[in-house]
Amino acid sequence: MSDSRSSTPSWTERAASLAIDGRAFIDGFRVDARSSARFDCLSPIDGRKLAEVARCDAADADAAVAASRAAFEDRRWAGQAPARRKRALIRFADLMLENRDELALLETLDMGKPIRYSLAVDVQQAQNCIRWYGEAIDKIYDQVAPTAEDSLALIQREPVGVVAAIVPWNYPMLMAAWKIAPALAAGNSVILKPSEKSPLSALRLAELALEAGIPPGVFNVLPGFGNEVGSALALHMDVDCIGFTGSTGVGKQILQMAGQSNLKRAWTELGGKSANIVCADCPDLDAAVESAIGSIYFNQGESCNAPSRLFVEASIKDAFLEKALALMPRYTPGDPLDPSTVMGAIVDPIQMKTVLGYIEEGKNGGARLLAGGNAVRQDSGGLFIEPTLFDGVEPDMRIAREEIFGPVLSVLSFTDLDEAVRQANATPYGLAAGVWTADMTKAIRASRALRAGTVHVNQYDNDDITVPFGGYKQSGNGRDKSLHAFDKYTELKTTWIRIG
C-alpha cells in the first residue's frame, strides 16, 4: 500500500514553487508603482528573495485615495443592503480558508513565523475576524431618542468615508483584518498600507476581497515605506480616518500629521512593556510558568502585548525559575517551514541587531543571563535568536523599561503586591498585564489598579474577537476588536424631525 502522505509536497517544496505578485492593488487591479520603483522582499528564514514589490509613494496614494473616494461617493459599497455586504464579507472569509495554505506560506516566508502558527493562528483568526464583522453588519441597530410628541429624534451611525490603515510586520494578516473588517463592515472604502517588511499577504487579501464581491475601489493595498507612502496617507487631505498599529514613536508622528492636514480621525495601537505578576498563592504554578514562557516566546517575542516583564513573588521565584528553565529547550529556534518548529526567525537584520543589542545591555547592566542570549542557525542564512531569560532585573534597567520586541524575558521579584503593581504601572505604556493569584479579592483589586487596556487573571492572552483591544497612556487610543471598533470608523448623526 502506498503512503498517501508522500504525494503531498512539503512546505519547503511548496515555497520553492510559490508564484508571488508584488504589485500594488488599486481600483480592482494589480498595478506597478507610478514611479515604477520596486524593492526586494527578502525572507528572514534564509535570506532568499521572495519578490520585487511595488515601492509606492505619494502619487500612488493619490490614485488610491481617488479610487476610494469615487467608490464611497457613488455608494457602490456603502449603499448596498446590509445583508448583501454581510454575504460579501463572509465569502471573503470563506476564500481565506480555501486559500489558507497559500496565505500561511506567504506569512511564514515573509516575516519568519512558524508555519504551524501561520495556519492555526494568523489565517484562522484573521478569517474569523472578517467573518465576525460580516455577521455583525445586520445586527447593529441605530437609536431613537426620547422626545415630545411633536418630534422624532434619530441617532444613526454612518461610515466615516475613506479610511487608511497602516499595519505592522509582526502579525501582517491579523492586524490587517482587525482594521479592514470593521471599516468595511461599516461601509467605508479602505486603503491598506502593510509594512515594507511583510507586504505579501495583504496584497493577496485584496484579490480575495474582489473575488468575494467587494467592489473595485473599495479595498486598495499600497506596499512601500512609511516615510514615502505611509506619510502621504497620513497627510492626505481626502483621507477621513487613519488607523495605525506600530511603534509609539511613529504613532506620535501619525497624530501630528493628522492634525496638520485635515484633522482626520487618527486611531493608534502602539507599543507595550506588559507586566505579568505571579503571586505566591498562584492557583497553578505549572500553568503560570507555561503561560509566562509561552506568551513571551510566541511569535519570537515580536508581539506588542508580550509579557516581557515577569514579576514573581520572592518566596516562589526559585521554584518558578527552575520550571521555566526546564521549558526553554522547547523554544529552540528551528526552520519555520518545519511543522514541528515553535519558534522561528526574527523579521529582518535591523530587528536582529536591536534585540541582540538589548541582550548585551542586559548583561552589561548587571542582570543575570540564565538562558539564551545568542544568535543561532547562522549557517541557514536566516535570522534566529535563542529564547533569552534574565533574572535579577532591576526596574531601572533598559531591558525592564524599553520595548525590545524579541524573545527576551526580564524577571523581577517582589514581596508586596501593591509595590509590584506600582512598578508595573511605572512605564509610559499600558497595553496589557497579567495577575496570578487564587485570592479573587487580590485579583480584582490588582486588576483595577493596573493601568492597562487588558488585564489577564490566571491566564494570559486567551481572549478573543468579542472583547476590545488597545492601550492606556502611550500604548495608543481607540480599540480594535469587538463592536467597540465600529466607534473608530463611523460618525454619529442626529436627525431631529418636527412632526405635524
Side-chain angles (χ1 to χ4, degrees):
M1 180 180 294
S2 63
D3 187 347
S4 61
R5 291 174 298 179
S6 63
S7 62
T8 302
S10 69
W11 289 107
T12 300
E13 292 169 331
R14 282 186 263 187
S17 61
L18 185 64
I20 299 174
D21 188 343
R23 292 177 296 169
F25 196 90
I26 301 175
D27 207 13
F29 295 97
R30 286 283 202 159
V31 294
D32 289 317
R34 294 298 193 271
S35 67
S36 299
R38 298 177 181 177
F39 64 93
D40 289 342
C41 183
L42 305 178
S43 176
I45 292 176
D46 53 15
R48 79 180 75 176
K49 179 178 174 179
L50 297 172
E52 292 184 359
V53 178
R55 185 169 178 165
C56 295
D57 59 19
D60 304 285
D62 286 342
V65 172
S68 295
R69 177 60 63 191
F72 183 71
E73 294 299 335
D74 69 19
R75 310 285 290 172
R76 71 186 70 165
W77 176 246
Q80 288 187 14
R84 186 175 175 186
R85 281 189 281 122
K86 169 185 172 178
R87 287 194 297 270
L89 285 181
I90 291 175
R91 177 60 179 150
F92 185 9
D94 289 341
L95 287 171
M96 291 174 67
L97 286 180
E98 290 175 20
N99 293 273
R100 60 167 68 87
D101 287 0
E102 179 190 3
L103 291 171
L105 192 52
L106 288 171
E107 208 80 330
T108 289
L109 290 172
D110 212 4
M111 67 77 56
K113 67 179 62 193
I115 190 68
R116 66 188 293 170
Y117 295 133
S118 291
L119 275 171
V121 177
D122 294 72
V123 176
Q124 180 60 33
Q125 291 190 12
Q127 71 81 27
N128 182 65
C129 177
I130 300 288
R131 188 181 308 277
W132 194 86
Y133 283 103
E135 288 284 3
I137 289 175
D138 60 0
K139 299 175 181 65
I140 297 176
Y141 291 75
D142 291 323
Q143 297 173 314
V144 177
T147 63
E149 288 188 351
D150 64 350
S151 300
L152 175 64
L154 307 178
I155 304 169
Q156 296 170 286
R157 285 191 181 273
E158 296 185 348
V160 69
V162 175
V163 173
I166 301 178
V167 297
W169 47 260
N170 58 333
Y171 294 93
M173 192 172 1
L174 184 56
M175 295 298 97
W178 282 12
K179 296 287 191 287
I180 69 173
L184 289 171
N188 296 287
S189 295
V190 179
I191 303 163
L192 174 63
K193 191 273 173 193
S195 170
E196 68 276 8
K197 300 181 182 185
S198 57
L200 301 181
S201 61
L203 291 166
R204 187 69 180 103
L205 286 181
E207 293 180 324
L208 296 179
L210 186 68
E211 183 181 347
I214 296 173
V218 173
F219 180 33
N220 308 277
V221 179
L222 299 180
F225 291 79
N227 63 341
E228 296 173 354
V229 68
S231 60
L233 291 169
L235 287 166
H236 206 288
M237 296 298 291
D238 205 23
V239 170
D240 300 300
C241 170
I242 188 162
F244 172 79
T245 295
S247 71
T248 294
V250 176
K252 291 179 179 180
Q253 294 177 36
I254 293 288
L255 290 170
Q256 290 172 341
M257 289 184 233
Q260 72 188 68
S261 54
N262 60 340
L263 207 62
K264 60 178 63 65
R265 285 98 179 96
W267 306 103
T268 59
E269 191 265 282
L270 307 175
K273 192 66 180 176
S274 299
N276 191 19
I277 302 171
V278 183
C279 299
D281 65 349
C282 166
D284 187 336
L285 188 60
D286 289 331
V289 173
E290 290 262 1
S291 179
I293 296 299
S295 296
I296 182 60
Y297 299 134
F298 183 75
N299 209 51
Q300 303 75 246
E302 298 167 331
S303 300
C304 54
N305 64 335
S308 55
R309 291 186 296 157
L310 176 62
F311 293 84
V312 183
E313 194 159 354
S315 62
I316 62 167
K317 193 181 79 164
D318 289 346
F320 190 104
L321 288 176
E322 181 181 357
K323 292 176 180 289
L325 291 171
L327 294 181
M328 299 296 279
R330 182 187 302 178
Y331 296 92
T332 301
D335 179 3
L337 292 172
D338 183 339
S340 66
T341 293
V342 297
M343 196 163 116
I346 303 299
V347 70
D348 72 353
I350 296 173
Q351 188 63 18
M352 180 90 165
K353 182 179 178 180
T354 297
V355 175
L356 291 174
Y358 274 110
I359 291 171
E360 286 304 308
E361 177 79 20
K363 291 190 288 188
N364 295 335
R368 293 190 297 276
L369 180 65
L370 298 188
N374 300 303
V376 293
R377 291 179 52 83
Q378 292 173 289
D379 58 347
S380 68
L383 305 168
F384 299 88
I385 297 177
E386 293 175 306
T388 300
L389 192 153
F390 282 104
D391 185 25
V393 177
E394 296 297 330
D396 60 349
M397 293 180 179
R398 283 187 66 204
I399 60 172
R401 292 186 290 108
E402 298 178 14
E403 185 176 40
I404 298 173
F405 228 64
V408 181
L409 177 60
S410 297
V411 181
L412 304 90
S413 66
F414 71 94
T415 55
D416 177 74
L417 179 57
D418 289 338
E419 175 60 18
V421 169
R422 188 194 68 78
Q423 290 187 27
N425 285 336
T427 171
Y429 302 113
L431 193 56
V435 180
W436 296 76
T437 174
D439 184 335
M440 282 298 103
T441 297
K442 284 169 60 176
I444 293 169
R445 181 166 54 85
S447 65
R448 287 176 174 171
L450 286 163
R451 300 285 294 165
T454 301
V455 178
H456 302 278
V457 176
N458 295 333
Q459 52 84 31
Y460 199 92
D461 210 21
N462 288 337
D463 55 306
D464 60 22
I465 190 67
T466 62
V467 294
F469 181 84
Y472 288 22
K473 299 186 283 187
Q474 293 187 44
S475 286
N477 63 332
R479 294 296 183 266
D480 288 321
K481 298 170 47 190
S482 81
L483 295 179
H484 294 278
F486 282 114
D487 295 341
K488 300 193 296 185
Y489 305 116
T490 55
E491 298 281 15
L492 281 179
K493 175 179 283 185
T494 296
T495 306
W496 192 285
I497 304 169
R498 180 174 176 81
I499 301 172

